[in-house]
Amino acid sequence: MDMGRRVVIALGGNAIKQPDEWGTAEEQMRNVRTACRQIARIIRRGYEVVLTHGNGPQVGNLAIQQEQAKDLVPPQPLVVLGAMTQGQIGYLFQQALRNELADLKRPVVTVVTQVLVDSEDPDFRDPHKPVGPFYEEGEARVLMEERGWVMRRVRPDAKGWRRVVPSPRPLAIIEGEAVKRMVDDGMIVIASGGGGIPVIMRDGRLEGIDAVIDKDLAGEVLAEEVGADIFLILTDVDCVRLDYGKPSERPIRRMTLEEAKRYHSEGHFPPGSMGPKVEACIRFLEHGGERAVIASLEEGFEALEGEAGTQITRG
Ligand code: ADP
Ligand code: MG
């Protein structure tokens, strides 16, 4: 019923690195291959696909490398690390998808993607997203002084300090039009990885800024800009739950936009995990999207076909 429809698929961290893994190149390629078998089923079914993905563990590891090697090579700023992980992860998906779909000869391409944020976003005044290595208090004070970082004590132990950065709301995808034209032309596109490279507009010019944009919220803006019919979020749980983690926990198989808003306002979806996913789905439907789905990676195809996960519609 949904063949020929356009879908933006937001892949969670587990599509690239499992929590118990170290994050070697081999491990990550193996995970991406598994994810791409699912994506390939979706593409073979006739859906037009745009992929987006997280980059938390990858950008965290790169940040550690920058600091450990800072006396040998200049550490690159967080915003550049974002671009680096888009290339790194995009490569894995391009290769795995090409191999999986070799007979189709469809072009697969990654777009290094900048995402516009507001320099007045309230998060810039109160950054709270921890990134990179842990430090002792003395080291943290030096970094605050020398690099202007905001550091916070995030654990009570000696090495309990960490850099925190803002997590502003995504406003627009700078390369959105480019991605749309590629999809119109039949390409499979990977874009807005890690929530995109955060940029602000200053005196009419783009400028990169150290921040982390939520990948589900950025994926939603991307979905709007490419004219997606469906927004599919694939993560590590089979569906959304009410009273998650409580004895009264129960699965939600379908909900309307109004129900999603009500459950969210009742506190069922915490910030940093299910909260932004449900918010992204709400926004997508409010901005004309037809259907939003939250499901596990393993059931991605079935969920897109309406047979698994949590289906959210305007109702
Ligand atoms: P991803 O890397 O895919 O973005 P997250 O860890 O950010 O994944 O979010 C998925 C997690 O959200 C699940 O593993 C689950 O533990 C958690 N979660 C929180 N609240 C809920 C809820 N109400 N229903 C289902 N999962 C929830
Ligand atoms: Mg996660």
Side-chain angles (χ1 to χ4, degrees):
M1 63 171 188
D2 276 338
M3 281 191 336
R5 322 264 36 213
R6 188 165 291 186
V7 55
V8 168
I9 306 177
L11 295 167
N14 64 326
I16 311 163
K17 182 186 164 294
Q18 303 300 320
D20 59 344
E21 288 173 346
W22 205 36
T24 65
E26 292 74 21
E27 284 168 343
Q28 300 196 81
M29 184 52 106
R30 193 177 339 111
N31 293 322
V32 167
R33 275 201 204 108
T34 305
C36 286
R37 280 197 282 278
Q38 202 60 230
I39 312 292
R41 291 178 71 196
I42 290 170
I43 292 166
R44 286 186 191 282
R45 180 86 174 121
Y47 290 96
E48 297 175 348
V49 168
V50 179
L51 283 182
T52 189
H53 57 80
N55 73 343
Q58 294 75 26
V59 81
N61 284 354
L62 266 179
I64 292 169
Q65 287 178 334
Q66 305 309 301
E67 295 317 305
Q68 287 293 318
K70 69 178 189 305
D71 299 323
L72 296 174
V73 288
Q76 302 297 310
L78 183 65
V79 63
V80 173
L81 305 188
M84 289 163 74
T85 61
Q86 287 187 349
Q88 171 195 11
I89 298 168
Y91 153 68
L92 299 175
F93 278 97
Q94 280 180 206
Q95 189 175 83
L97 269 180
R98 276 302 277 230
N99 286 337
E100 203 60 50
L101 298 167
D103 55 312
L104 295 188
K105 305 222 163 20
R106 291 270 300 277
V108 184
V109 63
T110 300
V111 174
V112 174
T113 312
Q114 307 173 85
V115 174
L116 184 69
V117 302
D118 184 355
S119 59
E120 302 292 313
D121 190 290
D123 241 67
F124 282 106
R125 285 191 297 276
D126 182 31
H128 59 269
K129 176 94 186 160
V131 287
F134 289 84
Y135 296 94
E136 290 174 8
E137 180 167 356
E139 301 170 303
R141 300 224 173 269
V142 171
L143 287 164
M144 286 194 268
E145 179 73 24
E146 286 183 353
R147 299 216 219 152
W149 288 1
V150 181
M151 310 280 297
R152 286 207 178 140
R153 173 163 238 148
V154 294
R155 294 196 312 221
D157 60 6
K159 245 181 156 28
W161 287 70
R162 216 165 170 207
R163 183 181 184 195
V164 287
V165 298
S167 188
R169 311 278 306 186
L171 300 178
I173 311 289
I174 303 298
E175 288 76 17
E177 178 64 23
V179 175
K180 182 170 185 302
R181 289 196 212 172
M182 289 184 208
V183 182
D184 288 346
D185 212 35
M187 301 189 200
I188 298 159
V189 185
I190 300 134
S192 191
I197 302 162
V199 295
I200 56 168
M201 191 69 90
R202 206 197 293 271
D203 302 326
R205 299 173 70 87
L206 297 173
E207 200 179 290
I209 188 151
D210 281 2
V212 170
I213 304 172
D214 180 84
K215 71 114 181 18
D216 295 309
L217 295 177
E220 189 281 325
V221 180
L222 178 67
E224 281 185 45
E225 295 199 11
V226 302
D229 305 292
I230 308 161
F231 183 45
L232 174 63
I233 298 179
L234 297 182
T235 181
D236 55 6
V237 280
D238 64 344
C239 68
V240 183
R241 316 276 160 133
L242 291 177
D243 290 341
Y244 183 70
K246 297 182 192 160
S248 53
E249 176 180 314
R250 56 209 184 273
I252 309 170
R253 287 302 171 185
R254 23 193 91 248
M255 60 181 164
T256 64
L257 172 59
E258 291 315 313
E259 285 167 335
K261 286 183 179 172
R262 191 176 81 235
Y263 298 146
H264 193 27
S265 71
E266 288 169 0
H268 290 281
F269 315 128
S273 60
M274 196 47 75
K277 294 185 200 310
V278 173
E279 277 164 41
C281 292
I282 290 172
R283 270 194 71 99
F284 181 67
L285 296 173
E286 283 182 338
H287 289 78
E290 193 175 284
R291 179 160 63 101
V293 185
I294 300 174
S296 69
L297 180 57
E298 297 74 44
E299 294 185 310
F301 176 80
E302 288 76 13
L304 190 52
E305 296 277 288
E307 287 149 20
T310 299
Q311 307 281 327
I312 315 168
T313 51
R314 264 171 288 176

